[in-house]
Amino acid sequence: MAARFDAFISYSRAASSTLAAELRNGIERFAKPWYRLRSSRVFLDDASMSANTGLWSTIERGLTESDWFILLCSPRSAASQYVTNEIAWWLEHKSSDRILLVLDEGEMLWDAKAGDFDWPRASAVNRALSKAFAEEPRWVDLSWFEQDGSLRSADPRFTERVADLASAVRGIERDELVGENVRERRRAIRLLRGGVIALSGLLIASLAATAIAVVNGNAAAEQARIAQARQLAAQAIALGSTDLRLASLLATEAVRMNDDAQTEAALFQLQNASPFLERSLDVGAEVTSTAITADGEVVLGDAGGTVSTWTDGERTDLMHISGRVSSVAVSDDGSVVAAVSALGREIAVWTGSGGEPLPVDSTAWTSDLPGSTVAVSADGMYLAVSDYSNWTALFHRTGNGWQLVGNAAEGGALGVGADALTVFQSAAGWVLLSLTDLAVLDSGEPVTGMTANVTVSADGSTLAGPYQQGINFALWKTHGSAGPAYGAEGYDQVATSAIAGALDLVLDEDGSRLATQTDGAIYVSQARDPSSPPEPPIVLDGAGRIAPETLSFRGEHLVNGSGDSALVWDLTHPGRITTEFPAPVPEPCTACGEQLVRINASGTRLAMTDLTGFSTVVTDLRSQKSVTVPATEGGTSYVAASWFDENRIVVSDPDQVALQVLSGPDYSTVDLTIPLDLPPDARVLAIRADGTETGRVTVFADNGHVETVDLADGAVVVASDALAAAMSGSAPAVADIAPDQSTAVLWDYDPQVGMKYVDLATDRVLAESVVDGVAYDGSSRLHIFVGGSETVLDPKTGSASATRPAEVESIPPPVLSPDGSIVVSGGQTGVVTLIDIAARGTVVGRIAIPTQDGQSAISVFSPDGDQLITTVPYLYSQDRAPSIRIMDLTVPGWIAASCAVAGRDLTPAEWQVYVGTTPPGDLRCDR
C-alpha cells in the first residue's frame, strides 16, 4: 500500500502530548510552500488512549501507511503497552532503519560492548527495542522542551531538532532542507509585505486609514525582520554541528539584523560550541595536505603547489613545487619541512637556513609511480617518501644536504622512529625497516577484513585501521606484536570512536590517541586495552566538509583541511571567548561552605579564600600573577576576605578574633586591626567592606552574629543576632551580606533552616522560606530562586517584584550579574548555564567546566558585567592544575571571535540563500 503518511509518532500521552503535537506541527510545516497546507503528513493519534479495542485498527492502519516511525522516549513511554505494541508491530513488518528516536525524559544510554542499550540505566528506552539496532542509533535530544522556563517551540534549538527529523523523513539533505525553509519563509514575508501594500492601496482614500495602514505596514515589516533574524539564528545553530565557520557568520548577521535575547543566545552558543576549535586559516586554494607541530605551528600544502607555514594565524610561504601538493611533513621543532608532489617525482625540503628549498637527490628512486606521501623524523634527520604501493625511499640529512639511504620494495603509510622506519599498507601488511640500511627488522601480514583506510603514528610505533565494521578501531604495536601471526585476536589496543565509516583517521605522534573524521566532525579516542571499558570520544563538531588525507594530530593539536581553508584545534583550548591561566586556587571545603571569591571595584584583582583557612590568594587578572597571603602571627591562615579598597584586602584573623587590613606586594603588612565582638571559637564566614577607609565593614560569623563596625573609631554600629537561632552548627551553603551592608542572608541546605533574610538596622526578619538559591545583585536587591522562578526583594522600597522564570541549581550557589539580569547556575556536574532573567529565563548558553565530586568551580562577574571569571580548583581525578578562566560577555567580543573563527567573510551567494535580500555592498564580517 502506498504510504499516506510520511511518519508515525509513537508516544505516551501522559508524558509527551504537548511535545508530540508541536513536533507534528513543526515537521509538517518545515520548509512548507505558502500555497500548501503542509510539506509532509505525520500520523498522530489525538484520540483517548483508553481500553477501547477498536483503537488498534486505527493505529495499525497508521503504522501500515507510514514511512517512518518517530518514538518519543521517556520512562512512561518505556512502560506503555500501547507504545510497546507499536514498536513490536513496526519491527515485525518494517525496518529499525526507519526508526527515529527523540529523548523527552529520562536517560538513553548505549552499551557498546553488549551492542545494545544499557538497560539498567536506559530508563527512557522501551524494552521492545532490545537488539533492534546493529550499532548505537542517533537520537534527538528534546529533554529540555517541557522544563520550567523553556521557550518550547520558540527556542532556536527546537527548529534545529525539527530540521534533523524533517530531513530524514523527507529524504532531503539537511543543509538543502534548511535552505529551503529559509527561502519559503522569505516568500511568506514577501507575500505579507505585498498584502500590506495592497491593503494600503485600498485605504488610501482616507488619511486616517492611510496612517493606520502605514503603522500596520511598519509593524508587519518590523515583525518580519525580527522573525527573519530569529530564523537566521536558528539556521546558524542548526549548521553549528557541521560547519561552525558558516554558522558563526550567519549568527553574526542575525544579531546585526535584530539584536535581542534569542539572536544573542545563538551567537554566544556558537562561540562556546566546539571550544577546542582555535582558529581557521583562509588559504585561498584547496588544502590538499597538512602537518602540525606539538606547539601548534601548522604546515599546509595546496592544489596550486604552494607549501606554507602558519604561526598564530600568520602565513609564511616556504616553497613551491610543480602541481598539487600530495603530502607535507614537519619535524617536531618545525625546523625541517618536506613536501612531495602528486604528479612527477618532485620532492622539496625546507630546512630554515635562509628559507630556500633544498633539492633531494632521488635519481636512484626507481618506482614507476609518482611519490604521494612523505614523513620526517622527530629530530629532522631522516626523510621518507612512498608511492603508497610499491616503493619507499629513505633519505638521511648530512652537512651537504640529503643523501639516499636506499629504496625498499614496500609502500604505504609511513612513520619514522628513532631507529626504524615503519611502512603500512592494508593489502600488504606492515614492515619495520632499519634506518641504517633498510634491513627488515620485523613484519606482519595483512589482516583479513582490514579496509584501505589505515594510518601509522609519527614515531612508527603504532598502526591503526578499521579491523571490522563498527565503531572500534584496532591498534597494533610494531615492537612486540606477533609478527606474521597477528590477526583477528592479535591487536594490542583498541580505540572506540562514535562512527564506523571514518573518511579519515590519524594517530598522534606516539599512538596513544586516534582521531577519526567524517563530514562535519572529528572524534578523538584514547587507545586502551581491548578488555577495558570504552570511554566516550572527544567530539570536535563543526569541522566542515572533509578534505581526504588532510587530518593531522600531534601533541594536543589537530588540523584538518576543508575546501580552501584549514581548521586548527587545541585540546587544551578553553574557548574562543575565554582565556585561562594557572593560579593557586584554594580548594573549597564541602563541609564548611563554598569557596569565597571577591573582585575589586575596577575588576582587576581577585581575592579567593577557603573557609578551612588553608589559604587566601590574591590574583592580578592583568598580569596573571598570584600571591598567597602569609599566615597570621599566630601561625594560622586568614579566613574570609573582601576588598577594603582598590589595593588592600580586609580578612579575618581567627587568632585575634579581629579583622586585619593587609597591604603590600605580598599582603604581609597589617595596616589596621579591627577587634570583633565574637567568642574565641567563632569563625567569620563573610566580610563586606564598602571600599572607603572611613566607611564601614560588616562581618557574618558562624554563630549567626552579624555586626557592622565604623572604621573611623572602631565602634560597633550594628549588631544582629536574628540569624543565630537558624545556625545549625555547620556552615551554611550561603552566608552573605548585601553590598550596601543593609541586610544579610543565610541559606542552609537543611529545609528546617532554609533561607532567612534580615534587615540589619532593625534586626527584623524580612523573609524566610525553603529556596533553591539566593544571590545579591549590585544594587543590594536579593534575588530568590525557588520552584523554577525568581523573585526580587528590594529592601529600600520594601517591595517584591513579580516572579519570572529562572531554573537554577542549588550547588554551587547561583551567581548574579551586577545588574541582576543574568544568573550563572550549576557547575557541579561539569556544565554551567547562563540564564537571561530579563528575557523570561532564556538560556543564553551552557559552558563546559572541568569538575569532580566535591570540587566545584566558583564564578564571579566583573563589576561592569562584561566578564565572567571562574576559579577552577585542582582536580585530582584529572591531575589538572588549578586555574582561572575569564569569559568575554560582550556582543562585540562575540562578533570578533565569530569573525576570527570564520576566517573569511560571508559571500553574496550565501547571503542570498540564508538572508534572501539583496546583499549589502560591504559583507566584511568585522565591519
Side-chain angles (χ1 to χ4, degrees), residues 584-589 595 609-612 614-615 855 873-876:
V585 176
E587 296 185 13
C589 168
Q595 165 203 347
T609 55
D610 176 15
L611 290 176
T612 58
F614 289 154
S615 61
Q855 300 289 82
Y874 169 67
L875 304 180
Y876 54 85

Side-chain angles (χ1 to χ4, degrees), residues 26-197:
I27 294 171
E28 288 186 344
R29 295 171 184 172
F30 197 83
K32 178 188 75 68
W34 67 270
Y35 55 84
R36 291 179 56 185
L37 181 62
R38 59 177 70 92
S39 59
S40 55
R41 192 173 182 206
V42 178
F43 181 95
L44 180 66
D45 178 25
D46 291 324
S48 171
M49 298 297 288
S50 65
N52 179 4
T53 57
L55 286 174
W56 177 249
S57 60
T58 302
I59 291 177
E60 187 174 23
R61 185 167 61 252
L63 289 165
T64 302
E65 297 176 0
S66 296
D67 276 340
W68 288 84
F69 186 89
I70 300 175
L71 175 61
L72 305 193
C73 299
S74 67
R76 278 176 284 191
S77 75
S80 168
Q81 187 60 49
Y82 273 97
V83 173
T84 302
N85 293 342
E86 291 163 0
I87 296 171
W89 187 98
W90 189 272
L91 293 175
E92 180 181 354
H93 296 88
K94 300 196 178 186
S95 170
S96 62
D97 292 339
R98 290 274 171 159
I99 296 178
L100 301 173
L101 303 180
V102 178
L103 179 62
D104 184 13
E105 293 178 279
E107 296 286 339
M108 185 179 295
L109 302 171
W110 183 261
D111 185 343
K113 187 174 182 180
D116 200 0
F117 289 99
D118 185 352
W119 291 114
R121 297 188 296 162
S123 61
V125 186
N126 192 293
R127 283 276 183 172
L129 290 174
S130 179
K131 298 296 183 180
F133 300 98
E135 59 183 313
E136 182 177 6
R138 290 189 61 186
W139 49 276
V140 170
D141 187 2
L142 281 168
S143 57
W144 50 267
F145 183 84
E146 295 194 54
Q147 293 178 359
D148 291 341
S150 169
L151 296 177
R152 301 197 174 188
S153 59
D155 192 308
R157 292 175 295 171
F158 183 75
T159 303
E160 178 186 351
R161 299 287 80 85
V162 168
D164 292 336
L165 297 170
S167 63
V169 166
R170 295 175 60 181
I172 299 175
E173 287 292 332
R174 190 178 189 279
D175 289 352
E176 180 183 343
L177 190 62
V178 167
E180 182 61 25
N181 188 50
V182 173
R183 287 190 291 272
E184 291 300 338
R185 286 190 62 87
R186 233 174 25 242
R187 293 189 187 104
I189 290 169
R190 286 200 299 266
L191 288 171
L192 175 61
R193 290 172 176 167
V196 171
I197 293 171

Side-chain angles (χ1 to χ4, degrees), residues 5 80 203 216 409 472 595 694 699 822 907:
F5 297 99
S80 168
L203 299 179
N216 288 343
N472 287 329
Q595 165 203 347
T694 57
V699 298
I822 302 291
T907 67

Side-chain angles (χ1 to χ4, degrees), residues 525-887:
S525 311
Q526 192 73 35
R528 59 180 175 83
D529 185 275
S531 62
S532 301
E535 297 180 1
I538 299 172
V539 182
L540 310 181
D541 280 329
R545 186 166 296 278
I546 185 174
E549 299 182 12
T550 63
L551 180 62
S552 299
F553 189 4
R554 185 175 293 190
E556 299 297 329
H557 294 86
L558 297 95
V559 59
N560 73 288
S562 180
D564 58 1
S565 299
L567 278 66
V568 185
W569 310 80
D570 181 351
L571 299 181
T572 64
H573 195 238
R576 292 176 295 282
I577 58 174
T578 301
T579 58
E580 184 172 19
F581 59 90
V585 176
E587 296 185 13
C589 168
T590 55
C592 315
E594 296 294 342
Q595 165 203 347
L596 301 178
V597 181
R598 300 287 194 198
I599 193 166
N600 66 354
S602 63
T604 58
R605 294 181 182 178
L606 209 62
M608 301 170 282
T609 55
D610 176 15
L611 290 176
T612 58
F614 289 154
S615 61
T616 297
V617 177
V618 178
T619 299
D620 189 313
L621 300 178
R622 297 165 300 184
S623 66
Q624 300 183 356
K625 294 181 179 180
S626 298
V627 173
T628 299
V629 178
T632 68
E633 292 183 2
T636 62
S637 293
Y638 296 104
V639 295
S642 183
W643 285 96
F644 185 67
D645 53 30
E646 271 294 288
N647 302 308
R648 295 183 291 175
I649 60 172
V650 53
V651 293
S652 172
D653 182 348
D655 297 330
Q656 299 188 40
V657 193
L659 297 179
Q660 305 274 25
V661 176
L662 306 179
S663 66
D666 59 354
Y667 297 91
S668 60
T669 301
V670 178
D671 289 346
L672 182 65
T673 298
I674 308 168
L676 297 174
D677 185 17
L678 294 174
D681 60 346
R683 183 176 292 267
V684 172
L685 300 178
I687 303 173
R688 182 75 75 171
D690 62 7
T692 63
E693 296 182 27
T694 57
R696 301 183 307 167
V697 61
T698 301
V699 298
F700 194 137
D702 63 358
N703 64 353
H705 180 74
V706 182
E707 70 178 45
T708 301
V709 179
D710 189 324
L711 298 179
D713 55 12
V716 175
V717 295
V718 172
S720 172
D721 289 302
L723 296 171
M727 301 298 287
S728 57
S730 61
V734 171
D736 205 1
I737 305 159
D740 66 1
Q741 302 176 59
S742 63
T743 63
V745 64
L746 162 70
W747 167 40
D748 200 307
Y749 295 130
D750 184 351
Q752 299 301 317
V753 178
M755 183 272 297
K756 293 188 183 297
Y757 176 48
V758 175
D759 185 323
L760 297 178
T762 63
D763 222 17
R764 184 168 59 93
V765 176
L766 301 176
E768 54 183 321
S769 65
V770 176
V771 299
D772 298 325
V774 295
Y776 282 108
D777 63 23
S779 300
S780 297
R781 298 175 302 174
L782 185 69
H783 296 242
I784 301 173
F785 303 94
V786 59
S789 63
E790 172 243 26
T791 302
V792 182
L793 301 181
D794 190 340
K796 296 177 181 177
T797 63
S799 63
S801 69
T803 59
R804 298 181 293 186
E807 185 82 32
V808 303
E809 299 178 32
S810 298
I811 306 173
V815 177
L816 273 173
S817 60
D819 63 0
S821 63
I822 302 291
V823 62
V824 175
S825 171
Q828 189 180 38
T829 58
V831 177
V832 167
T833 303
L834 270 68
I835 302 170
D836 189 338
I837 310 173
R840 296 192 55 78
T842 297
V843 173
V844 177
R846 293 181 173 86
I847 310 160
I849 294 290
T851 189
Q852 68 186 36
D853 290 345
Q855 300 289 82
S856 298
I858 306 299
S859 298
V860 63
F861 283 89
S862 61
D864 58 10
D866 286 348
Q867 294 178 326
L868 181 67
I869 299 98
T870 302
T871 63
V872 183
Y874 169 67
L875 304 180
Y876 54 85
S877 66
Q878 305 172 32
D879 194 24
R880 191 182 191 283
S883 65
I884 291 176
R885 290 184 168 192
I886 304 176
M887 175 177 287

